[in-house]
Amino acid sequence: QVQLVESGGGLVQAGGSLSLSCAASGRTRLPYTVGWLRQAPGREREFVAAIAWSTYYADSVKARFTIFRDDANNMMYLQMNSLKPDDTAVYYCAAAALFSSAWYQNPSRYPYWGQGTQVTVSS
């Protein structure tokens, strides 16, 4: 089992930045694929970014968000710049033991989830 705990959400004005952190425990190392997904009110949970042997981003966040991992400390991060009101959502870190280009954007393929952290971007 893998336990994930997010931190770093909050309220920011449009154009601002936030950094999210995710601490993993329960294993000696981070799972192979770790990622961030988000869910806005009234919308389905959607993929934001993932990192396995490479990094992957949703088109809506490319060039604004950066995902990175610190395997030595079982940590994962999401640096969010140039935030927009449309980025408002609950952000979840998630993990999976494997990776496939066929499913990495599918939330249902991630068995491990954090509790989520709220990010609110005001206009």
Side-chain angles (χ1 to χ4, degrees), residues 81-93:
N81 299 326
S82 302
L83 282 160
K84 305 174 181 180
D86 282 350
D87 294 318
T88 296
V90 176
Y91 283 71
Y92 298 89
C93 64

Side-chain angles (χ1 to χ4, degrees), residues 7-8 12 15-22 36 38 48-49 57 61-69 76-83 87 91 119:
S7 61
V12 65
S17 299
L18 276 177
S19 180
L20 305 182
S21 301
C22 177
W36 292 91
R38 67 188 181 187
V48 176
Y57 297 95
V61 307
K62 277 180 183 176
R64 299 189 298 122
F65 291 11
T66 303
I67 185 172
F68 53 104
R69 60 193 292 167
M76 177 178 59
Y77 305 91
L78 184 69
Q79 177 63 41
M80 305 183 293
N81 299 326
S82 302
L83 282 160
D87 294 318
Y91 283 71
V119 171

Side-chain angles (χ1 to χ4, degrees), residues 1-100:
Q1 282 289 351
V2 177
Q3 290 80 45
L4 302 173
V5 178
E6 304 95 338
S7 61
L11 173 64
V12 65
Q13 288 189 329
S17 299
L18 276 177
S19 180
L20 305 182
S21 301
C22 177
S25 61
R27 291 175 55 135
T28 57
R29 59 169 55 184
L30 280 174
Y32 187 68
T33 302
V34 289
W36 292 91
L37 297 94
R38 67 188 181 187
Q39 188 165 18
R43 299 183 64 176
E44 293 186 353
R45 195 166 295 188
E46 65 176 8
F47 170 79
V48 176
I51 182 168
W53 64 273
S54 186
T55 55
Y56 307 86
Y57 297 95
D59 288 343
S60 60
V61 307
K62 277 180 183 176
R64 299 189 298 122
F65 291 11
T66 303
I67 185 172
F68 53 104
R69 60 193 292 167
D70 176 0
D71 287 84
N73 293 296
N74 280 1
M75 294 291 295
M76 177 178 59
Y77 305 91
L78 184 69
Q79 177 63 41
M80 305 183 293
N81 299 326
S82 302
L83 282 160
K84 305 174 181 180
D86 282 350
D87 294 318
T88 296
V90 176
Y91 283 71
Y92 298 89
C93 64
L98 303 175
F99 174 85
S100 170

